[in-house]
Amino acid sequence: MKASEVTTEWLKKIDFKIQRDVTIKDVIVKDLVVNLDGRGEVTELWSEPWVAKDNLLYPKHIYQSATDYGVVKCWHLHQIHTDQFTVSRGKLQVSLVDLRQDSPTFGHANGIFLGTLRPRLIKIPPMVM
């Protein structure tokens, strides 16, 4: 199935399995370390050694996004693109659904919180909405 073929009607047919922990195959959630001292703090957002150690990808595109108070952005899906992102200020709840019909976690839905108080890096493979 292609991302362009995903419809509301097709989604309604899936027996979703809401999971408390991250269970979707190939999704990676990496807790980031805040180094705090008397001068302030430093948090590494990405480091080359993580590519091999944590199965991450080299970034090809980097951008920052902001969402206004009370706004919900939702459902983002890529056919071949892998997303990797973190939150540099504020907080975010990310809801993921595995739409890969050949995946052992097809239909799994996970919720992930990240932000200033819980810095994390998330890797989301293609066809995970």
Side-chain angles (χ1 to χ4, degrees):
M1 166 165 272
K2 293 182 178 179
S4 61
E5 298 171 343
V6 173
T7 64
T8 303
E9 293 74 30
W10 182 78
L11 289 170
K12 287 179 182 178
K13 295 175 186 176
I14 298 174
D15 180 25
F16 292 107
K17 295 160 190 68
I18 309 300
Q19 305 292 323
R20 184 166 191 195
D21 297 315
V22 177
T23 60
I24 296 174
K25 184 179 182 326
D26 303 319
V27 168
I28 295 170
V29 178
K30 177 178 179 54
D31 288 318
L32 301 177
V33 177
V34 178
N35 299 293
L36 178 69
D37 64 22
R39 302 166 296 168
E41 67 209 43
V42 171
T43 305
E44 281 186 304
L45 301 178
W46 188 89
S47 182
E48 185 176 25
W50 298 351
V51 172
K53 180 178 174 257
D54 299 309
N55 195 26
L56 296 176
L57 302 174
Y58 285 98
K60 294 183 180 180
H61 179 77
I62 297 173
Y63 65 92
Q64 182 163 326
S65 174
T67 304
D68 291 336
Y69 178 80
V71 172
V72 175
K73 292 183 178 180
C74 109
W75 302 131
H76 191 80
L77 181 63
H78 293 291
Q79 180 70 40
I80 57 173
H81 176 91
T82 297
D83 274 328
Q84 293 181 145
F85 67 89
T86 187
V87 173
S88 60
R89 65 181 190 265
K91 59 187 168 189
L92 186 67
Q93 178 180 357
V94 177
S95 299
L96 303 175
V97 178
D98 190 350
L99 299 181
R100 300 168 296 172
Q101 293 175 304
D102 59 344
S103 170
T105 57
F106 173 73
H108 282 215
N110 300 155
I112 303 167
F113 289 93
L114 67 157
T116 308
L117 298 176
R118 182 95 189 258
R120 302 165 116 181
L121 174 69
I122 302 176
K123 176 183 172 186
I124 304 171
M127 294 304 293
V128 173
M129 185 165 67

